[in-house]
Amino acid sequence: MSRLFTSTQRLEKTSAVITAYPYTIAAWVYDDGTSTAFPFLVGCSTSGTTVSTTRIQMLLDNTGKVATDGATTTAARTTNTWFHACCVETSATGHAVFLNGGSKGTGTTSITFPTGMNRTSINAWNAGASVGIAGNMAHVAIWKVALADAEVLELAAGILPTRIRPQSLISYWACNARDSGEIDPISANDMTNFSSTSNANTPRISQASFIA
C-alpha cells in the first residue's frame, strides 16, 4: 500500500521532528508525470511563510532531479515508476542527495539550520499550495544521523528504514493509508491526513527486511 496524492494533498505533523544537523530523509516516490515544477516531498517548515531560510526540504527540481537547498542529483527520476529519494545533511556545509541509491550530488554552500520551524510535512509544506507531487509516496523516514552511502544504497535496494540504524531513526511513516491519519510507530509523531487516499501501488521491498 501507499498514499496517493494530488499536488495539493498532504500529511502533516504540527511540530518539527528535525531539530539540528545531522539528519537524513528518505522516501519512495511515484511521480505520475503531471506534477507541478519543484514538487516538495518531505521536510519541516514554519507555518505562514514560504521563505527558504525557514524550512528544510527534499524535493524534485524542475527537471525531475532530487534536490535540497544545498545539492542536486546528477540524474533525473523517470515518471510512472517508483524511485528512491534520499538526502543526507551532515552539517551546515555538508549536503548530499541520492536517486535510487546513486546519482549522488553534493554541495558545500553554508546553510544555517532554520529556527522556529513548527511542522513536518509529506507532499506539501504550505496549506492550500500546489507544491506537492501528483502520485504516490511510501516508506518515508527521518534519522538524526547522516547515513553512509552504503546505507542509502540498501534503502534503495528495498531494505525497510526500520532495519537501518534503528537506534537513530526519529520517525517512520509507512504511508499505508490504513488509518485516517498516518501512524509513526517509532516516536508517535503521527500525521494528520489532508485528503490523501490509499492505493495498492507499492514499491518493491526486499525480503531481507523480514529476515531476523
Side-chain angles (χ1 to χ4, degrees):
M1 300 291 289
S2 63
R3 287 272 182 184
L4 178 63
F5 298 93
T6 66
S7 60
T8 60
Q9 295 170 340
R10 72 191 191 282
L11 298 168
E12 187 173 278
K13 165 74 175 176
T14 54
S15 64
V17 304
I18 304 172
T19 58
Y21 293 118
Y23 65 86
T24 298
I25 302 173
W28 282 97
V29 186
Y30 185 101
D31 184 354
D32 72 5
T34 65
S35 300
T36 57
F38 299 100
F40 171 90
L41 300 178
V42 186
C44 300
S45 63
T46 303
S47 57
T49 180
T50 60
V51 179
S52 62
T53 55
T54 62
R55 68 175 188 257
I56 55 176
Q57 61 179 339
M58 181 172 72
L59 70 158
L60 299 180
D61 74 3
N62 62 337
T63 66
K65 296 177 180 179
V66 180
T68 62
D69 290 325
T72 304
T73 55
T74 60
R77 59 86 180 93
T78 300
T79 58
N80 293 303
T81 187
W82 282 101
F83 64 90
H84 190 263
C86 184
C87 73
V88 178
E89 299 285 325
T90 59
S91 68
T93 56
H95 320 290
V97 283
F98 300 82
L99 172 67
N100 293 325
S103 301
K104 182 180 180 180
T106 60
T108 58
T109 299
S110 183
I111 299 175
T112 301
F113 193 90
T115 59
M117 295 189 300
N118 57 13
R119 60 184 168 180
T120 304
S121 307
I122 297 175
N123 204 53
W125 49 260
N126 189 16
S130 298
V131 294
I133 65 157
N136 303 65
M137 293 186 69
H139 302 296
V140 178
I142 298 174
W143 291 258
K144 61 182 177 182
V145 295
L147 295 184
D149 290 11
E151 292 170 317
V152 175
L153 188 60
E154 285 187 281
L155 290 169
I159 297 297
L160 284 173
T162 51
R163 300 300 295 267
I164 304 294
R165 291 210 227 180
Q167 72 279 8
S168 299
L169 185 60
I170 300 174
S171 290
Y172 168 59
W173 301 279
C175 295
N176 54 27
R178 293 176 180 172
D179 303 283
S180 57
E182 192 64 45
I183 301 299
D184 168 21
I186 305 302
S187 302
N189 287 316
D190 302 341
M191 287 195 167
T192 300
N193 180 33
F194 291 87
S195 302
S196 68
T197 58
S198 62
N199 191 267
N201 190 5
T202 187
R204 178 185 58 83
I205 296 301
S206 171
Q207 290 301 308
S209 291
F210 308 102
I211 300 174

